[in-house]
Amino acid sequence: MSTPPFPGPDLPSAGPRPGPSAAAAHGGTPAAGAAPPPGCPAHAAGAAPLYGPEASADPMGLYERLRAEHGAIAPVLLEGGVPAWLLLGYDEILQVARNPRRFARDTRLWRDWREGRIPDDSPLAPVLAWRPDCISQDGREHRRLRGAVKDSLERFDRRAIRRAVHRRAHQLVDAFAGAGRAELVGQFALSLPMMVLTDLYGLPEEEGARLVTASRQLVGGTRKALEADRHIHEILGRLVAAKHLAPGPDLASWLIEHEAALSDDEVRQHLRLVLVLAHEATTNLMVNTLRMVLTDPRFRGTLNGGQMTLPAAVEQILWDEPPLTVLPARFPRYDMEIAGREVREGDLLLLGLAAGNADPATGRTTGQEMHGNRSHLSFNSGPHECPGQDIGRAVTGSGIDTLIARLPDLRLAVPEEELTWTSSSWSRRLDALPVRFTQRHDRNPFARTPAGGSRPGTGPAARSEAPAGVAGAAGAAGAARTEPGRGPAGLWRRLRGRVRTG
């Protein structure tokens, strides 16, 4: 069931592939003697790294500098000095994203990979590798795989998801409401999306904390990314095995039974895809929205005054601070010109979502109120547009709504200028969001008084209130804990250590 970090020799290749040791010996840089070919973005003047101090401190400033120097497409470098083109223009991004006949999503067409300039152990592998999932495919195969994901996600009742978000958000607020202070990135925004995802997946709750860490490491682009990816595959491999034996009303079971007849590897890969992208994007969207609600007088004032709804505020954030700033990847199917630059077949093209949303050619300026306009690029466009974007909006809006309802006098605990960010090539993350509020000891309305010795959330009353198709699996797992070794929880423990992937 393992999948190589990059396509192996059985997949299409334009030339011989050097052994992994030759490339790895250079610490993630191109293999010795494998100079980038003429016309590669690495040779273009002014190629800027999308990582490091400048990118972390002010990514939008970097994008605007590149736009001023190069126009709508600029040469850039990824971790390890890997060359790419960054699309900065709104129209150019749409042109590439909506035209799979000219711009492929299939990483096997990436010329730098085919010609041996990317090491097998590159930390970019978990993000850029080809896999049997819908974002690595075009045409008929893409439609088959995407259809399975889209159909399965649409089976979830949106109102039930919102109820599950409220329930989980109340659990998190309970942990710090009596303290009068909290750090909302670590204590709220990182955990809430993953807690909801474990409900949607039918995963045991205890796996959530492990997956939060692994998901963030994978997108971070460091050497920990490969280990994190293997850990995610191991957990999801056990999940697929468990759902074959005990299916439930969850995403894993629905992918397995879908008429598209996904293999177990395809099911696991799509569970990984949704988990990593949904967690990273929803966490960043929630944090960015919370920060603006707390610091921007337009948002704080209008939210309290009823002139702007929270969904409208979320949409404004999607324009100004996309949760994923850069999205990989497209590959030209032949040599061509884009915005006056010569681009070669197989070059790596990156979609600069944040830069495109701020493109002056659109006629808008950063921060300009968009009043619910959804024509931003934050969820991509074309055949690979995110199919779960409404779930992400629901988790963000319902989570913040619950937090503000419980702690109405929430306020930033430090001056805004003391907030710090960490950036990778793909996203910009707020490191911490410390807040203060009046201590509160009111009860979580979703909590139930234990009866007959059962713990809260595991008794019959709690199970009867579990939202259908969302928390039903979690309720079943809670019931199973009263009979050790039986039910989904016992099955999960028996599978731990038996199923190995990657």
Side-chain angles (χ1 to χ4, degrees):
M1 293 173 63
S2 63
T3 299
F6 277 90
D10 57 317
L11 297 174
S13 174
R17 182 74 173 98
S21 59
H26 291 77
T29 58
C40 171
H43 285 303
L50 292 183
Y51 56 95
E54 182 182 9
S56 290
D58 186 14
M60 291 304 298
L62 171 61
Y63 303 150
E64 292 312 309
R65 176 173 71 80
L66 291 173
R67 196 194 310 275
E69 294 176 1
H70 301 281
I73 181 171
V76 295
L77 300 172
L78 299 177
E79 284 86 350
V82 174
W85 294 106
L86 178 64
L87 293 161
L88 303 163
Y90 183 93
D91 288 340
E92 286 75 14
I93 292 172
L94 288 180
Q95 172 193 352
V96 170
R98 293 177 175 179
N99 197 337
R101 292 187 177 182
R102 297 181 67 200
F103 303 98
R105 187 61 182 83
D106 192 336
T107 308
R108 294 173 293 187
L109 301 179
W110 185 11
R111 192 178 60 258
D112 281 337
W113 163 256
R114 297 190 325 240
E115 296 178 1
R117 284 181 289 274
I118 308 298
D120 288 340
D121 62 349
S122 168
L124 297 173
V127 175
L128 289 176
W130 183 91
R131 286 181 171 82
D133 61 31
C134 60
I135 67 166
S136 297
Q137 314 278 359
D138 296 299
R140 179 180 301 175
E141 190 65 2
H142 168 259
R143 291 190 292 272
R144 177 181 75 89
L145 297 172
R146 178 184 168 86
V149 174
K150 189 172 184 293
D151 292 347
S152 298
L153 290 174
E154 288 179 350
R155 291 183 67 172
F156 290 111
D157 183 295
R158 296 304 189 261
R159 289 173 297 179
I161 289 177
R162 290 183 185 276
R163 289 196 297 271
V165 174
H166 287 307
R167 180 172 59 87
R168 292 298 196 175
H170 278 297
Q171 284 181 248
L172 292 171
V173 174
D174 283 345
F176 56 75
R181 63 175 60 200
E183 194 287 286
L184 293 181
V185 175
Q187 291 182 270
F188 189 78
L190 269 175
S191 298
L192 180 58
M194 191 61 77
M195 292 172 77
V196 175
L197 282 166
T198 58
D199 284 345
L200 298 180
Y201 277 38
L203 268 167
E205 187 171 331
E206 62 268 20
E207 296 291 1
R210 302 184 185 101
L211 287 169
V212 166
T213 301
S215 175
R216 293 237 112 181
Q217 289 175 338
L218 188 152
V219 181
T222 68
R223 286 291 171 184
K224 293 181 178 180
L226 293 170
E227 180 182 350
D229 198 30
R230 285 191 289 269
H231 181 65
I232 291 172
H233 276 292
E234 181 178 321
I235 291 176
L236 297 180
R238 290 200 301 271
L239 176 64
V240 174
K243 293 303 175 182
H244 273 293
L245 298 173
D250 52 69
L251 183 61
S253 300
W254 292 338
L255 285 173
I256 289 171
E257 69 184 40
H258 193 273
E259 63 182 6
L262 274 62
S263 68
D264 281 1
D265 190 29
E266 289 172 337
V267 171
R268 177 168 55 90
Q269 295 288 355
H270 286 91
L271 290 171
R272 169 197 177 275
L273 175 67
V274 173
L275 183 141
V276 172
L277 289 181
H279 181 252
E280 181 72 11
T282 306
T283 295
N284 291 342
L285 179 59
M286 188 178 298
V287 170
N288 292 342
T289 305
L290 276 169
R291 179 185 60 79
M292 294 202 73
V293 165
L294 293 172
T295 62
D296 192 315
R298 296 175 306 162
F299 285 78
R300 186 64 173 174
T302 53
L303 278 170
N304 287 340
Q307 298 174 18
M308 175 178 281
T309 64
L310 186 55
V314 170
E315 222 59 43
Q316 185 71 36
I317 294 300
L318 288 168
W319 272 103
D320 293 335
E321 299 182 59
L324 297 176
T325 55
V326 174
L327 192 67
R330 299 295 189 277
F331 306 93
R333 295 185 183 273
Y334 48 84
D335 295 354
M336 64 180 69
E337 183 179 290
I338 300 178
R341 300 302 294 258
E342 294 293 331
V343 177
R344 295 185 60 204
E345 176 273 332
D347 276 355
L348 173 58
L349 301 179
L350 306 175
L351 309 184
L353 306 183
N357 282 348
D359 185 357
T362 64
R364 74 175 296 266
T365 57
T366 301
Q368 177 182 344
E369 292 188 22
M370 299 305 290
H371 305 289
N373 185 322
R374 290 191 173 191
S375 60
H376 53 73
L377 302 170
S378 296
F379 292 114
N380 201 354
S381 185
H384 289 280
E385 184 174 1
C386 175
Q389 56 187 276
D390 287 341
I391 294 179
R393 286 184 175 99
V395 174
T396 298
S398 298
I400 294 176
D401 186 59
T402 302
L403 177 67
I404 293 174
R406 289 285 300 275
L407 308 172
D409 64 341
L410 201 65
R411 59 196 181 275
L412 198 61
V414 299
E416 182 182 357
E417 56 270 19
E418 293 184 10
L419 298 176
T420 60
W421 282 261
T422 299
S423 294
S424 70
S425 294
W426 320 114
S427 65
R428 186 182 190 230
R429 305 164 172 177
L430 188 63
D431 295 322
L433 190 62
V435 294
R436 293 182 182 273
F437 47 87
T438 301
Q439 294 177 325
R440 301 188 63 91
H441 301 283
D442 51 325
R443 292 187 59 210
N444 172 358
F446 284 86
R448 294 290 181 268
T449 302
S454 298
R455 290 179 294 169
T458 63
R463 288 198 299 277
S464 68
E465 301 222 355
V470 176
R481 283 193 290 269
T482 65
E483 299 181 69
R486 299 188 62 187
L491 173 61
W492 184 261
R493 287 192 293 271
R494 293 195 300 275
L495 286 170
R496 185 184 294 276
R498 296 187 191 180
V499 179
R500 289 287 183 267
T501 61

